[in-house]
Amino acid sequence: LSYDLGYMDPALKALQSFIGKYPKSTFNQEAKELLVNTLANTSNYKESLKLYESLGNKSDHVIKLYPRLLYGSAVELINDQQIEKADELLTKLLQVPYNTVQLPLANFWKGEIAYRNGLIDPSINYLLNYLKNPVINGEVNITHARYILAYGYMKQEQYAIAKDYFELIAKAIARGSSAIEQDAYLRAADCYFMNKDFKQALKMYELVINNQFVSADYALYQKGIIAGALNKNVEKISLLQSLET
């Protein structure tokens, strides 16, 4: 009754008590399945997953809950910096039935974890799959997916594609722009620089310098490098010397 009424704490205590007192009851399996649901509803995914995997025959109702348990446990592991264990659960999540709701979320985290591990091609594939059907849940969002994708393409030296993703985050910036927007704008400038579009890169670096954003010193350095590339050596020396102040 407590479970049906949504009173999860009393339900949790009652079900645990029942299972402890009546281990041979014909209601034991149903009680354990209800407890799996109750633990999940109280965000105790680790214990819920452990109990789920200890069950013998499982009803279709509890099987449908499995992707949610895998995802919740994986996020807990990510928060605890246990990335490899989280990745294993996410891989399993991609393969189980009834995973439609969690699939985009799993693709996002698989993409981020792959990027952290230097696996750029898989990272790009997972994130592109996420963006085909994006959902937003905390850190999981379109901006973060594009940001990681852009860096992935940049590491592959595909600067034109990287630039497009960075500019989807920040085509322009101003005072008050977020840290991720400022960095995306700066990296877009770097992509123009690497593709030898020095005019556009210079314009963007100067905006960063003039607004004294966090990376103004880096932008000033890049401006000096561009001056050298354009054979303006006196200007290059002056700009690089100005970094001291």
Side-chain angles (χ1 to χ4, degrees), residues 142-172:
I142 294 170
T143 296
H144 285 167
R146 288 171 173 170
Y147 189 61
I148 303 164
L149 262 177
Y151 266 102
Y153 282 119
M154 201 173 187
K155 283 184 177 291
Q156 289 187 332
E157 300 182 6
Q158 298 191 57
Y159 299 113
I161 302 175
K163 171 189 69 67
D164 289 343
Y165 277 105
F166 281 129
E167 289 188 333
L168 285 172
I169 299 169
K171 183 77 173 178

Side-chain angles (χ1 to χ4, degrees), residues 81-154:
Q81 300 302 313
Q82 299 185 53
I83 304 302
E84 300 308 322
K85 289 182 179 180
D87 195 42
E88 291 174 8
L89 293 184
L90 292 168
T91 299
K92 192 178 292 186
L93 171 54
L94 295 177
Q95 300 165 351
V96 299
Y98 307 117
N99 66 356
T100 304
V101 173
Q102 291 78 21
L103 193 58
L105 303 169
N107 277 320
F108 175 91
W109 285 116
K110 288 285 291 183
E112 174 161 323
I113 290 170
Y115 179 84
R116 291 191 200 184
N117 290 332
L119 304 172
I120 304 304
D121 283 338
S123 173
I124 288 172
N125 289 333
Y126 285 123
L127 291 167
L128 288 175
N129 282 332
Y130 165 77
L131 288 173
K132 289 177 184 176
N133 182 31
V135 297
I136 297 172
N137 186 348
E139 292 180 57
V140 180
N141 59 62
I142 294 170
T143 296
H144 285 167
R146 288 171 173 170
Y147 189 61
I148 303 164
L149 262 177
Y151 266 102
Y153 282 119
M154 201 173 187

Side-chain angles (χ1 to χ4, degrees), residues 180-236:
I180 194 172
E181 289 171 333
Q182 290 186 32
D183 187 65
Y185 185 83
L186 189 68
R187 298 308 162 206
D190 287 343
C191 291
Y192 281 110
F193 174 84
M194 294 304 295
N195 281 330
K196 301 192 185 321
D197 187 344
F198 297 135
K199 182 179 178 180
Q200 180 62 23
L202 189 61
K203 177 182 175 182
M204 296 172 76
Y205 289 136
E206 285 177 342
L207 187 149
V208 173
I209 295 165
N210 293 337
N211 283 281
Q212 284 296 294
F213 290 131
V214 174
S215 297
D217 56 340
Y218 171 79
L220 184 60
Y221 173 81
Q222 289 293 89
K223 185 177 178 181
I225 298 300
I226 290 174
L230 298 175
N231 294 317
K232 299 178 179 179
N233 291 322
V234 173
E235 182 181 347
K236 175 184 178 180

